[in-house]
Amino acid sequence: MSPRPIIIDCDPGQDDAVALFLAMSSPDELELIGITAVAGNVPLRLTERNARVMCDVADRRDIPVFAGAEKPLIREAISAEYIHGETGIDGMDIFDPETPLQSQHAVAYLLDTLGAAAPSSITLVPTGPLTNIAAAIVADPQIIESIDEIVLMGGAMREGGNRTPSAEFNILADPHAADIVFSCGRPLTVMGLDVSHKVLSTPERVGRIGDLGNAVAEATAGMLSFFHRYDTEKYDSPGTPLHDPCTVAYLLRPELFKLKLCNIAIETESELTMGHTAVDFWHVTERPHNANWAFDIDADGFYKLLTERLARF
Ligand code: RIB
Ligand code: CA
């Protein structure tokens, strides 16, 4: 069976970086045809640079990397240096990457690639604010037909918000973009805080990754050791949630997850609840079931998969 073509749209971010590594570790199952960067955790000039750093670390300088939106569709940009550090990937030795930045804008790349692709042939894996994806859909709604599935990290239901009481960062950062993506009509699988808060990068788990003894594992262990300091204090937990790799893990081993098809709507009006994902888990409305909401995960199975795959580098 040929590998599944995917595009990862990201804002590295330590957890985005691990999602990139997990995808790169599995070329027999996933063909990472392109990486598009978006402003999010840190500004675009850093998220695109960080994505290229990961290509170098994984010795995958062949993967084209594109820079996209510097700010959300309508709102002012927010960022998360207080979690990720000023570089966005604090915790690893950072360098100027050899992997080149493509001259084409990420949205133009998405339009060209999806525009030329067969129906339902490419899976999009957004792990940051949804600005690039939404901008492409608005520019040419026909590209939707080429999207096989969108597997994104964002939102929250039982866990509540992590940036406001009501909203998770990726959705809050660009709620208007999220509304466009959640309304696009293609199969949508949503990895929110309700699953990512169950995959905590405890010292034991990070230690096993650090013991693998290759450059990717070393970078991963260093980044996770930095990344967890804020969340462990905030949540009084033994490790930080490993948000973004849940998307790629789902593509590789969907049986690790429990999901429910339901309606998810995005708050784009109220400042109090801006970016809230209203997950109709109990089907109490007549709203269309537009998303597969992940609500449970086999955490040990997730870390077994991650550790085994990082050992391949
Ligand atoms: O809320 C968690 C999400 O926000 C993750 O994607 C993290 O990288 C940040 O972008
Ligand atoms: Ca991210």
Side-chain angles (χ1 to χ4, degrees), residues 66-96:
F66 302 83
E70 294 187 274
K71 67 180 295 293
L73 294 182
I74 296 173
R75 292 175 65 85
E76 288 309 309
I78 60 174
S79 59
E81 287 87 348
Y82 64 99
I83 294 176
H84 299 275
E86 288 303 315
T87 69
I89 52 172
D90 282 27
M92 68 171 284
D93 295 332
I94 302 170
F95 53 89
D96 288 335

Short mmCIF file of all heavy atoms in Angstrom, two decimals, residues 66-96:
data_model
loop_
_atom_site.label_atom_id
_atom_site.label_comp_id
_atom_site.label_asym_id
_atom_site.label_seq_id
_atom_site.Cartn_x
_atom_site.Cartn_y
_atom_site.Cartn_z
N PHE A 66 7.42 25.95 3.46
CA PHE A 66 6.85 27.21 2.96
C PHE A 66 6.42 28.09 4.14
O PHE A 66 5.87 27.58 5.12
CB PHE A 66 5.62 26.93 2.09
CG PHE A 66 5.90 26.03 0.91
CD1 PHE A 66 5.91 24.65 1.07
CD2 PHE A 66 6.15 26.56 -0.35
CE1 PHE A 66 6.16 23.81 0.00
CE2 PHE A 66 6.40 25.73 -1.43
CZ PHE A 66 6.41 24.35 -1.26
N ALA A 67 6.61 29.37 4.01
CA ALA A 67 6.13 30.31 5.04
C ALA A 67 4.76 30.85 4.62
O ALA A 67 4.56 31.20 3.45
CB ALA A 67 7.12 31.47 5.20
N GLY A 68 3.86 30.95 5.57
CA GLY A 68 2.50 31.39 5.28
C GLY A 68 2.12 32.66 5.99
O GLY A 68 2.84 33.65 5.95
N ALA A 69 0.99 32.59 6.68
CA ALA A 69 0.41 33.80 7.27
C ALA A 69 1.20 34.31 8.47
O ALA A 69 1.60 33.54 9.34
CB ALA A 69 -1.04 33.52 7.69
N GLU A 70 1.42 35.65 8.47
CA GLU A 70 2.12 36.28 9.61
C GLU A 70 1.13 36.69 10.71
O GLU A 70 1.55 36.98 11.83
CB GLU A 70 2.87 37.52 9.13
CG GLU A 70 4.01 37.22 8.19
CD GLU A 70 4.82 38.47 7.88
OE1 GLU A 70 4.42 39.18 6.95
OE2 GLU A 70 5.83 38.70 8.58
N LYS A 71 -0.15 36.74 10.35
CA LYS A 71 -1.16 37.12 11.35
C LYS A 71 -2.50 36.48 11.01
O LYS A 71 -2.69 36.05 9.87
CB LYS A 71 -1.29 38.64 11.43
CG LYS A 71 -1.85 39.30 10.21
CD LYS A 71 -1.96 40.82 10.37
CE LYS A 71 -2.97 41.20 11.44
NZ LYS A 71 -4.36 40.86 11.08
N PRO A 72 -3.41 36.46 11.99
CA PRO A 72 -4.72 35.83 11.75
C PRO A 72 -5.53 36.57 10.67
O PRO A 72 -5.16 37.69 10.28
CB PRO A 72 -5.42 35.95 13.12
CG PRO A 72 -4.31 36.09 14.10
CD PRO A 72 -3.23 36.86 13.40
N LEU A 73 -6.61 35.97 10.24
CA LEU A 73 -7.44 36.57 9.18
C LEU A 73 -7.97 37.94 9.60
O LEU A 73 -7.99 38.88 8.80
CB LEU A 73 -8.61 35.64 8.86
CG LEU A 73 -8.30 34.28 8.24
CD1 LEU A 73 -9.62 33.54 7.97
CD2 LEU A 73 -7.47 34.41 6.97
N ILE A 74 -8.44 38.06 10.82
CA ILE A 74 -9.09 39.31 11.27
C ILE A 74 -8.48 39.84 12.57
O ILE A 74 -8.15 41.01 12.69
CB ILE A 74 -10.61 39.05 11.47
CG1 ILE A 74 -11.27 38.68 10.12
CG2 ILE A 74 -11.30 40.26 12.11
CD1 ILE A 74 -12.72 38.26 10.23
N ARG A 75 -8.28 38.95 13.55
CA ARG A 75 -7.84 39.40 14.87
C ARG A 75 -6.36 39.72 14.89
O ARG A 75 -5.62 39.37 13.97
CB ARG A 75 -8.18 38.32 15.91
CG ARG A 75 -9.68 38.17 16.11
CD ARG A 75 -10.00 37.02 17.04
NE ARG A 75 -9.50 37.25 18.39
CZ ARG A 75 -10.15 37.93 19.33
NH1 ARG A 75 -11.31 38.50 19.03
NH2 ARG A 75 -9.67 38.05 20.55
N GLU A 76 -5.93 40.39 15.95
CA GLU A 76 -4.50 40.63 16.17
C GLU A 76 -3.84 39.32 16.61
O GLU A 76 -4.47 38.47 17.25
CB GLU A 76 -4.31 41.71 17.25
CG GLU A 76 -4.69 43.11 16.76
CD GLU A 76 -3.99 43.47 15.44
OE1 GLU A 76 -2.74 43.32 15.37
OE2 GLU A 76 -4.72 43.82 14.49
N ALA A 77 -2.58 39.19 16.26
CA ALA A 77 -1.86 37.94 16.59
C ALA A 77 -1.65 37.81 18.09
O ALA A 77 -1.44 38.81 18.80
CB ALA A 77 -0.52 37.95 15.87
N ILE A 78 -1.72 36.58 18.56
CA ILE A 78 -1.28 36.26 19.93
C ILE A 78 -0.17 35.21 19.79
O ILE A 78 -0.04 34.57 18.75
CB ILE A 78 -2.43 35.71 20.81
CG1 ILE A 78 -3.03 34.43 20.21
CG2 ILE A 78 -3.50 36.78 21.00
CD1 ILE A 78 -4.08 33.76 21.12
N SER A 79 0.64 35.08 20.84
CA SER A 79 1.74 34.10 20.77
C SER A 79 1.93 33.46 22.15
O SER A 79 1.20 33.76 23.08
CB SER A 79 3.03 34.78 20.31
OG SER A 79 3.38 35.84 21.20
N ALA A 80 2.95 32.59 22.24
CA ALA A 80 3.08 31.80 23.48
C ALA A 80 4.54 31.57 23.87
O ALA A 80 4.95 30.46 24.21
CB ALA A 80 2.35 30.47 23.33
N GLU A 81 5.33 32.68 23.80
CA GLU A 81 6.74 32.54 24.18
C GLU A 81 6.87 32.10 25.64
O GLU A 81 7.85 31.46 26.02
CB GLU A 81 7.47 33.86 23.97
CG GLU A 81 7.74 34.23 22.51
CD GLU A 81 6.58 34.99 21.88
OE1 GLU A 81 5.48 35.04 22.49
OE2 GLU A 81 6.75 35.50 20.75
N TYR A 82 5.87 32.46 26.46
CA TYR A 82 5.97 32.12 27.90
C TYR A 82 5.93 30.60 28.11
O TYR A 82 6.37 30.10 29.14
CB TYR A 82 4.85 32.81 28.69
CG TYR A 82 3.45 32.37 28.35
CD1 TYR A 82 2.78 31.44 29.14
CD2 TYR A 82 2.80 32.85 27.22
CE1 TYR A 82 1.50 31.02 28.82
CE2 TYR A 82 1.52 32.44 26.89
CZ TYR A 82 0.87 31.53 27.68
OH TYR A 82 -0.41 31.11 27.35
N ILE A 83 5.44 29.89 27.09
CA ILE A 83 5.44 28.42 27.18
C ILE A 83 6.61 27.83 26.40
O ILE A 83 7.34 26.97 26.89
CB ILE A 83 4.11 27.84 26.62
CG1 ILE A 83 2.93 28.27 27.50
CG2 ILE A 83 4.18 26.32 26.50
CD1 ILE A 83 1.58 27.83 26.96
N HIS A 84 6.81 28.31 25.18
CA HIS A 84 7.75 27.68 24.25
C HIS A 84 9.15 28.30 24.27
O HIS A 84 10.05 27.79 23.62
CB HIS A 84 7.18 27.72 22.84
CG HIS A 84 5.88 26.99 22.72
ND1 HIS A 84 5.80 25.63 22.49
CD2 HIS A 84 4.59 27.41 22.84
CE1 HIS A 84 4.54 25.25 22.45
NE2 HIS A 84 3.77 26.30 22.68
N GLY A 85 9.30 29.43 25.00
CA GLY A 85 10.58 30.14 24.97
C GLY A 85 10.62 31.12 23.80
O GLY A 85 9.82 31.02 22.86
N GLU A 86 11.59 32.03 23.83
CA GLU A 86 11.66 33.08 22.81
C GLU A 86 11.88 32.50 21.41
O GLU A 86 11.45 33.07 20.42
CB GLU A 86 12.77 34.08 23.16
CG GLU A 86 12.44 34.98 24.35
CD GLU A 86 11.15 35.78 24.16
OE1 GLU A 86 10.96 36.35 23.04
OE2 GLU A 86 10.31 35.80 25.08
N THR A 87 12.57 31.37 21.32
CA THR A 87 12.85 30.79 20.00
C THR A 87 11.70 29.95 19.49
O THR A 87 11.61 29.63 18.32
CB THR A 87 14.09 29.87 20.05
OG1 THR A 87 13.76 28.69 20.81
CG2 THR A 87 15.28 30.60 20.65
N GLY A 88 10.84 29.51 20.42
CA GLY A 88 9.76 28.59 20.05
C GLY A 88 10.16 27.13 20.20
O GLY A 88 9.30 26.24 20.32
N ILE A 89 11.46 26.88 20.20
CA ILE A 89 11.96 25.49 20.35
C ILE A 89 13.07 25.45 21.40
O ILE A 89 14.02 24.66 21.28
CB ILE A 89 12.44 24.91 19.00
CG1 ILE A 89 13.45 25.85 18.31
CG2 ILE A 89 11.27 24.60 18.08
CD1 ILE A 89 14.10 25.24 17.06
N ASP A 90 12.93 26.29 22.42
CA ASP A 90 13.92 26.26 23.51
C ASP A 90 14.06 24.83 24.02
O ASP A 90 13.09 24.07 24.03
CB ASP A 90 13.47 27.18 24.67
CG ASP A 90 13.74 28.66 24.38
OD1 ASP A 90 13.75 29.02 23.18
OD2 ASP A 90 13.91 29.42 25.34
N GLY A 91 15.28 24.49 24.42
CA GLY A 91 15.54 23.16 24.96
C GLY A 91 16.44 22.33 24.06
O GLY A 91 16.97 21.30 24.47
N MET A 92 16.63 22.76 22.82
CA MET A 92 17.56 22.06 21.91
C MET A 92 18.60 23.05 21.40
O MET A 92 18.43 24.27 21.51
CB MET A 92 16.81 21.45 20.72
CG MET A 92 16.22 22.45 19.74
SD MET A 92 15.60 21.66 18.24
CE MET A 92 17.15 21.33 17.39
N ASP A 93 19.70 22.51 20.89
CA ASP A 93 20.74 23.36 20.30
C ASP A 93 20.26 23.86 18.94
O ASP A 93 20.05 23.06 18.03
CB ASP A 93 22.05 22.57 20.14
CG ASP A 93 22.62 22.16 21.50
OD1 ASP A 93 22.35 22.88 22.50
OD2 ASP A 93 23.26 21.09 21.58
N ILE A 94 20.05 25.16 18.83
CA ILE A 94 19.47 25.72 17.61
C ILE A 94 20.58 26.23 16.69
O ILE A 94 21.61 26.70 17.14
CB ILE A 94 18.50 26.87 17.98
CG1 ILE A 94 17.40 26.32 18.91
CG2 ILE A 94 17.87 27.48 16.73
CD1 ILE A 94 16.54 27.38 19.53
N PHE A 95 20.36 26.11 15.39
CA PHE A 95 21.37 26.49 14.38
C PHE A 95 20.65 27.03 13.15
O PHE A 95 19.44 26.89 13.01
CB PHE A 95 22.21 25.26 14.02
CG PHE A 95 21.37 24.08 13.61
CD1 PHE A 95 21.00 23.90 12.28
CD2 PHE A 95 20.92 23.15 14.56
CE1 PHE A 95 20.22 22.82 11.90
CE2 PHE A 95 20.14 22.06 14.19
CZ PHE A 95 19.79 21.89 12.85
N ASP A 96 21.41 27.64 12.27
CA ASP A 96 20.83 28.10 10.99
C ASP A 96 20.69 26.90 10.07
O ASP A 96 21.70 26.31 9.67
CB ASP A 96 21.73 29.16 10.34
CG ASP A 96 21.66 30.49 11.10
OD1 ASP A 96 20.62 30.73 11.78
OD2 ASP A 96 22.65 31.25 11.06
#
